[in-house]
Amino acid sequence: MRIEPSGVVLTGVCEVQTAVCQALKPAAITAVWAVPARTQINVCRACLEEKVRDGEWEIPGARIQQRADAAVYSADGELMLVVEVKSNPPAGREAATLWAEKIHRNLIVHAGVPGAPYFMLVGYPRSFFLWRQPFHAGPSGEPDEIHFGPLLEPYCGEIALPGTEEGYEQERIVSRWLEESVHGDHPSAPDAAPAWLQRLFNELSGGTVVRQTPVFA
Ligand SMILES: [Zn+2]
């Protein structure tokens, strides 16, 4: 959905109310317009960013905060891989791939992820999409590689810390998987990683995984 910012900041309750909402009680919000009907939506900054990161809202010209759910740096400190984790991709290869393309496109257009040679979107828990040179390929690029399989299953049975939010837990599981893969520890996964993923992990071998932080490229 295309969204136009009004530039108006007011005090009120956010109408979107995602899990990260900052205006469940009256707080600073902004009014945006849903195009073409020009319906007004009052939204807080956190929910606005969330809608863009989810691929649902496209706001021409807008930049959102740059962050990564996980990132992998090479042994010599270069940012190599940026990972975004999203839950509940639609069922079916075609629908899931379109969903992934939309999220990838939105993140590139709004500069929501730092530049890195690789961008991976994890459709939690079993969809994996990889783009090579995501900033050079153009925002509408299809994923270069796609894999559907239970790669994260060995990590899912671990006991979550009580009270942890679901999204946080998913990022933790993906980070654990990345860490072990980059360090060459392969737990007895019920299915083997595809060749392209093994090559990627070989390339990143000895690297460092950083989780949910602003990334400094
Ligand atoms: Zn909100």
Side-chain angles (χ1 to χ4, degrees):
M1 181 161 69
R2 252 174 96 99
I3 294 289
E4 280 177 11
S6 69
V8 178
V9 177
L10 45 143
T11 300
V13 172
C14 176
E15 290 170 18
V16 177
Q17 303 197 357
T18 65
V20 296
C21 189
Q22 293 168 334
L24 294 171
K25 289 178 188 162
I29 52 166
T30 184
V32 298
W33 312 106
V35 182
R38 294 194 71 81
T39 322
Q40 181 178 338
I41 304 168
N42 294 335
V43 60
C44 73
R45 183 74 208 177
C47 288
L48 184 143
E49 298 233 346
E50 198 70 1
K51 291 298 247 185
V52 171
R53 295 194 88 84
D54 284 347
E56 290 178 30
W57 286 7
E58 194 193 328
I59 310 177
R63 289 173 74 93
I64 57 171
Q65 199 196 356
Q66 217 168 63
R67 67 170 175 82
D69 291 332
V72 182
Y73 289 82
S74 68
D76 46 9
E78 218 176 306
L79 177 62
M80 295 298 290
L81 169 69
V82 166
V83 181
E84 182 84 9
V85 183
K86 297 271 182 220
S87 48
N88 306 317
R93 187 184 177 92
E94 207 176 319
T97 305
L98 285 173
W99 168 88
E101 282 173 20
K102 213 165 130 187
I103 292 170
H104 166 256
R105 183 176 181 280
N106 244 20
L107 288 174
I108 299 290
V109 166
H110 297 93
V113 284
Y118 299 102
F119 172 73
M120 186 189 288
L121 174 66
V122 177
Y124 192 89
R126 33 179 309 133
S127 317
F128 303 83
F129 307 90
L130 183 82
W131 284 260
R132 295 190 181 88
Q133 299 297 344
F135 285 83
H136 297 178
S140 306
E142 290 172 19
D144 292 299
E145 307 288 356
I146 300 171
H147 177 73
F148 297 101
L151 296 174
L152 300 175
E153 211 166 80
Y155 304 96
C156 294
E158 292 173 12
I159 294 163
L161 297 170
T164 35
E165 203 196 304
E166 188 194 21
Y168 180 84
E169 189 53 24
Q170 294 175 357
E171 285 161 20
R172 192 185 66 84
I173 288 168
V174 170
S175 298
R176 284 262 289 120
W177 168 66
L178 288 170
E179 259 160 34
E180 297 206 349
S181 302
V182 165
H183 296 141
D185 306 327
H186 297 290
S188 49
D191 101 324
W196 62 265
L197 202 49
Q198 291 177 20
R199 277 197 303 275
L200 177 67
F201 288 142
N202 277 341
E203 196 185 327
L204 301 175
S205 169
T208 311
V209 178
V210 175
R211 185 174 63 160
Q212 181 65 297
T213 45
V215 174
F216 304 102

